[in-house]
């Protein structure tokens, strides 16, 4: 067997714009436009093809490329639902004497979750969570677990805004061991469970994504992972309203994604309610209204003044005219 | 194909062996015994030793395994990835052999169409989940490794979390080198499961020389002694006895 050098992350080839790739088996032609991003197993390029613009992932390790293609094909079988990008083609190409395995998928246009929140506000975070949990529920019912769930693997498309999966390489058959993971979102790293692919593994990662989206940073587990996590939930003002839900999801207390979704919906509804009933009448908003009135008054006074002046001038001129006529 | 057993030596070192000859030569011997040698080079941030780098790569190449040089922080994840990938690679080799036997000619992975590759990969994935796994963890405890051992231990616990999440069985044994009297000390005899690995490094005495080659030799012998013992008392019983003893 050939030795696989794992230091070869940079070995996935850097193709300049305009590079032409010819598939060895299926004879399809692709023109590289620009790199879209790089992952652990290769580089994703935007490319032009007979299908229009596509995303083309090129790697150095034929095994992992093949693995990902298998997953993408399985995703297609999750019927009637668009979960990941759809699969288009897979092939080998030879560029300057070197063989590279690659695959082609639908090009999804959008922005990162963080960019979206920056522009549209954090209130989108729970919305995307609800969408994500819905997708997870469908995936789980088909017998799969996503595995390497993290913000980098999500994209916001639209409007209408919708969270989509872009890198499905870590997807694993339920009951097997997780293939790929990222420490911050990994239940094993935090000492809160194993790496068996079950619903709760994905749910843990989803909970950590929510924390990351609001906290805006990743942090280390410290001495006691669970303790560090719980402290974070209590400390962050914006997380506190969701802390009961978050505790449940990271502790694996939800039976499935659907249960987590329904529960989150309840929390969001409760919060909206509280905004309406409790927050509005007391001080803050009333003070706002008073301030608004105070702002309105000077304008009103100005108008009255103007009317008075005009009336005065009119009367004076009428009196003057009457005086002249006599 | 039956479940079968995969054998690996996982060597954690900072390179620079200085006793007992070329470690790559002994790694080549391991390969002949169907034992894959994977090497993880543990370096401190900022230090880059060309010689150490080369040695690490050479051992893995000779031992049919994978090598990776990492800094302390990424160690846990790397140990997991290397072990996993080496496992897949070995299995793929096995499947490849079966393939060319079935097809009766030298048909290898790269000659397969992407479609066929996909099918083979499913088999490999499936095997990776079910295969039994034996690994000798060989930790360099020479003086220069002293302050890295805690991280190494964390990484090993992390590895066992991943491995124990599979369907197949796992057996580990932990050796350090140099040993007090011999080339290696057995810190933990063959054991299955996660509990066996934590808290072990407290007992390790850190020594001066780095006999990497003889240490690999000792690791190979571990597989042989395990086989011998399995023949006498087969199955799980043996491990239970061992655990009660220690």
């Amino acid at each position: 067997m050939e030795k696989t050098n794992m230091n070869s992350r940079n070995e996935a080839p850097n193709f300049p714009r305009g590079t032409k790739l010819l598939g060895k088996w299926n004879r399809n032609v692709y023109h590289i436009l620009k790199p879209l991003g790089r992952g652990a197993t290769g580089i994703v390029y935007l490319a032009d093809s007979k299908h229009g613009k596509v995303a083309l992932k090129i790697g150095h390790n034929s095994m992992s490329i093949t693995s990902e293609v298998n997953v993408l094909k399985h995703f297609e079988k999750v019927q009637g639902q668009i979960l990941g990008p759809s699969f288009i083609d897979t092939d080998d190409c030879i560029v300057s004497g070197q063989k590279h395995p690659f695959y082609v998928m639908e090009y999804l246009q959008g922005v990162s979750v963080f960019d979206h929140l920056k522009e549209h506000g954090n209130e989108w975070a729970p919305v995307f969570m609800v969408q994500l949990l819905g997708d997870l529920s469908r995936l789980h019912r088909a017998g799969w677990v996503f595995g390497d769930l993290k913000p980098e693997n999500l994209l916001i498309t639209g409007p209408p805004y919708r969270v989509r999966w872009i890198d499905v390489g870590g997807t694993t058959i339920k009951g097997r061991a997780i293939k790929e993971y990222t420490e911050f979102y990994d239940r094993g790293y935090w000492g809160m469970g194993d790496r068996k692919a079950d619903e709760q593994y994905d749910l843990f990662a989803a909970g950590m994504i929510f924390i990351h989206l609001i906290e805006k940073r990743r942090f280390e587990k410290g001495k006691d992972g669970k303790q560090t996590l719980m402290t974070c939930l209590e400390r962050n003002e914006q997380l506190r309203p969701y802390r009961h839900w978050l505790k449940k999801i990271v502790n694996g207390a939800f039976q499935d994604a659907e249960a987590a979704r329904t529960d989150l919906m309840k929390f969001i509804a409760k919060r909206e309610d509280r905004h309406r009933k409790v927050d509005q009448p007391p001080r803050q908003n009333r003070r706002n209204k008073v301030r608004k009135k105070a702002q309105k008054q000077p304008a009103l006074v100005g108008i009255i003044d103007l009317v008075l002046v005009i009336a005065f001038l009119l009367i004076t001129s009428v009196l003057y005219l009457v005086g002249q006529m006599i | 194909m039956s479940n079968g057993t995969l054998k690996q030596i996982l060597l954690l070192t900072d390179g620079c062996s200085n006793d007992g000859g070329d470690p790559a030569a002994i790694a080549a011997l391991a390969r002949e015994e169907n034992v894959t040698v994977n090497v993880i080079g543990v370096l401190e941030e900022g230090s880059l030793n060309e010689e150490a780098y080369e040695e690490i790569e050479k051992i893995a190449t000779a031992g049919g395994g994978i090598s990776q040089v990492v800094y302390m922080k990424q160690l846990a994840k790397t140990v997991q990835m290397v072990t996993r990938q080496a496992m897949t690679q070995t299995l793929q080799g096995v499947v490849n052999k079966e393939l060319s036997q079935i097809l009766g000619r030298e048909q290898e992975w790269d000659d397969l169409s992407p479609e066929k590759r996909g099918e083979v990969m499913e088999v490999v994935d499936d095997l990776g989940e079910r295969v039994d796994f034996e690994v000798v963890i060989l930790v360099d405890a020479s003086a220069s490794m002293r302050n890295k051992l805690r991280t190494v231990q964390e990484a090993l616990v992390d590895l066992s979390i991943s491995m124990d999440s599979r369907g197949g069985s796992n057996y580990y044994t932990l050796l350090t080198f140099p040993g007090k009297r011999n080339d290696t000390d057995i810190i933990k005899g063959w054991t299955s499961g996660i509990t066996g690995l934590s808290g072990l490094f407290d007992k390790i005495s850190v020594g001066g020389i780095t006999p990497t080659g003889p240490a690999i030799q000792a690791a190979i012998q571990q597989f042989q002694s395990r086989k011998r013992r399995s023949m006498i008392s087969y199955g799980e019983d043996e491990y239970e006895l061992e655990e009660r003893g220690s």
Side-chain angles (χ1 to χ4, degrees):
Chain A
M1 286 287 340
E2 246 179 35
K3 184 190 72 87
T4 310
N5 182 358
M6 296 202 24
N7 259 341
S8 52
R9 229 158 261 190
N10 322 330
E11 253 181 36
N14 274 314
F15 290 140
R17 189 190 166 87
T19 307
K20 184 179 144 194
L21 305 183
L22 170 67
K24 175 183 158 190
W25 303 86
N26 301 332
R27 315 302 294 174
N28 289 320
V29 178
Y30 300 95
H31 293 274
I32 298 291
L33 294 174
K34 63 171 186 187
L36 291 172
R38 56 182 69 218
T41 52
I43 305 180
V44 181
Y45 287 100
L46 178 64
D48 226 348
S49 74
K50 64 177 185 204
H51 305 282
K53 277 185 182 152
V54 292
L56 185 151
K57 183 162 185 176
I58 192 147
H60 46 85
N61 185 333
S62 170
M63 275 192 276
S64 36
I65 291 290
T66 305
S67 237
E68 287 177 26
V69 168
N70 275 353
V71 170
L72 273 174
K73 283 187 177 164
H74 279 295
F75 261 72
E76 289 206 315
K77 291 177 196 154
V78 180
Q79 272 185 340
Q81 292 291 340
I82 340 152
L83 291 175
S86 49
F87 169 79
I88 297 172
D89 183 20
T90 179
D91 215 322
D92 298 325
C93 63
I94 294 164
V95 177
S96 40
Q98 272 220 303
K99 184 147 87 177
H100 304 285
F102 70 88
Y103 66 86
V104 183
M105 58 192 156
E106 174 193 4
Y107 169 52
L108 293 176
Q109 221 166 351
V111 298
S112 82
V113 194
F114 285 108
D115 284 348
H116 185 95
L117 296 188
K118 222 182 274 166
E119 200 181 327
H120 300 272
N122 274 354
E123 61 265 38
W124 280 93
V127 177
F128 292 144
M129 288 312 289
V130 170
Q131 294 180 348
L132 182 62
L133 289 167
D135 287 350
L136 282 177
S137 171
R138 282 183 277 278
L139 182 71
H140 293 165
R141 264 182 278 146
W144 292 82
V145 167
F146 193 88
D148 197 8
L149 204 56
K150 56 180 171 180
E152 294 93 315
N153 285 345
L154 304 176
L155 194 77
I156 307 299
T157 60
Y161 299 118
R162 183 76 175 79
V163 69
R164 294 284 302 267
W165 291 330
I166 44 173
D167 190 347
V168 299
T171 306
T172 311
I173 295 177
K174 223 188 262 181
R176 288 195 175 170
I178 292 290
K179 277 191 270 186
E180 263 173 47
Y181 63 88
T182 306
E183 276 168 2
F184 186 76
Y185 315 93
D186 165 47
R187 171 171 86 176
Y189 168 79
W190 291 93
M192 294 176 75
D194 57 16
R195 293 199 182 106
K196 222 177 204 14
D198 54 24
E199 281 106 322
Q200 285 72 28
Y201 187 88
D202 275 347
L203 293 182
F204 180 91
M208 294 308 289
I209 289 180
F210 190 66
I211 292 173
H212 187 186
L213 291 182
I214 301 297
E215 216 13 68
K216 307 285 181 219
R217 68 184 180 110
R218 299 182 199 183
F219 43 91
E220 277 171 34
K221 63 177 170 180
K223 265 214 177 88
D224 181 347
K226 193 168 177 176
Q227 192 55 49
T228 309
L229 217 51
M230 295 304 136
T231 315
C232 167
L233 294 186
E234 295 294 338
R235 210 187 44 226
N236 187 317
E237 281 287 328
Q238 278 187 291
L239 284 177
R240 211 181 291 153
Y242 298 99
R243 68 183 185 283
H244 294 301
W245 180 79
L246 280 167
K247 273 180 197 167
K248 270 197 204 165
I249 204 166
V250 296
N251 280 309
F254 289 116
Q255 205 198 338
D256 52 32
E258 188 49 38
R261 200 181 76 94
T262 326
D263 204 48
L264 177 59
M265 289 290 255
K266 260 190 251 158
F267 269 93
I268 298 173
K270 227 189 273 170
R271 254 178 75 73
E272 297 280 306
D273 245 24
R274 211 181 302 137
H275 271 310
R276 233 168 279 136
K277 284 183 192 151
V278 191
D279 284 2
Q280 276 192 356
R283 289 163 222 148
Q284 219 185 4
N285 281 313
R286 203 177 283 163
R287 204 183 290 155
N288 272 350
K289 271 180 203 159
V290 172
R291 201 177 300 141
K292 268 179 206 160
K293 261 183 209 159
Q295 277 169 350
K296 265 181 200 163
Q297 263 164 2
L300 209 65
V301 171
I303 292 168
I304 293 169
D305 282 355
L306 194 70
V307 172
L308 281 176
V309 167
I310 293 170
F312 177 73
L313 286 175
L314 267 174
I315 292 168
T316 328
S317 54
V318 167
L319 281 177
Y320 175 73
L321 281 175
V322 171
Q324 288 283 321
M325 277 163 71
I326 294 171
Chain B
M1 251 164 84
S2 71
N3 270 12
T5 306
L6 274 194
K7 294 173 192 165
Q8 282 191 16
I9 292 173
L10 179 65
L11 169 64
L12 291 122
T13 177
D14 55 2
C16 312
S17 68
N18 57 14
D19 192 51
D22 184 3
I26 300 176
L29 221 59
R31 195 181 181 178
E32 292 303 309
E33 295 277 298
N34 288 323
V35 176
T36 314
V37 185
N38 302 303
V39 193
I40 293 176
V42 192
L43 296 184
E44 245 155 313
E45 213 81 41
S47 69
L48 188 86
N49 182 337
E50 236 0 273
E51 231 169 276
Y53 224 106
E54 216 168 273
E55 180 179 298
I56 286 160
E57 220 180 87
K58 263 190 196 156
I59 299 173
T61 312
I66 290 173
S67 73
Q68 166 105 9
V69 172
V70 286
Y71 299 114
M72 301 282 280
K73 230 181 155 187
Q74 306 127 335
L75 187 64
K77 194 173 173 182
T78 309
V79 167
Q80 191 273 140
M81 266 171 56
V82 165
T83 308
R84 186 92 206 176
Q85 192 151 339
M87 204 167 176
T88 314
Q89 186 177 294
T90 313
L91 286 170
Q92 204 206 325
V94 173
V95 173
N96 252 344
K97 242 183 238 162
E98 298 260 317
L99 264 183
S100 45
Q101 265 168 22
I102 294 165
L103 301 173
R105 58 199 136 108
E106 279 294 301
Q107 191 142 25
E108 286 236 333
W109 176 260
D110 276 349
D111 308 321
L112 295 177
S113 72
E115 208 133 283
K116 282 269 152 49
R117 256 181 252 167
E119 285 166 30
V120 176
M121 199 62 208
E122 302 242 319
V123 178
V124 171
D125 275 348
D126 192 51
L127 276 175
E129 184 64 26
R130 290 187 291 114
V131 75
D132 295 330
F133 184 60
E134 293 173 5
V135 58
V136 178
I137 302 163
L138 196 54
V139 178
D140 176 350
S142 59
S144 52
M145 285 286 287
R146 187 193 301 270
N147 50 6
K148 296 172 191 162
L149 289 181
R150 184 159 291 277
T151 317
V152 167
Q153 180 180 315
E154 268 173 39
L156 293 181
V157 171
D158 193 82
L159 171 68
S160 64
I161 297 178
S162 274
M163 287 299 143
D164 292 349
S165 299
R166 297 179 324 118
S169 68
N170 303 288
Y171 290 101
Y172 313 88
T173 178
L174 179 60
L175 272 60
T176 57
F177 64 97
K180 279 198 191 88
R181 265 181 233 111
N182 305 319
D183 291 321
T184 56
D185 275 345
I186 299 174
I187 300 297
K188 182 82 188 174
W190 287 105
T191 169
S192 76
I194 181 169
T195 44
L197 281 175
S198 44
L200 286 174
F201 281 86
D202 307 336
K203 313 188 227 171
I204 290 180
S205 59
V206 180
I209 53 163
T210 315
T212 310
I216 298 173
Q217 182 74 61
I220 300 171
Q221 273 158 19
Q222 283 300 309
F223 286 110
Q224 286 159 354
S225 70
R226 175 170 155 70
K227 205 167 30 175
R228 232 174 286 132
R229 239 186 299 153
S230 308
M231 273 194 260
I232 303 164
S233 66
Y234 53 82
E236 309 283 300
D237 300 16
E238 155 194 9
Y239 302 102
E240 277 176 26
L241 280 176
E242 234 172 44
E243 243 150 47
R244 237 173 274 148
S246 62

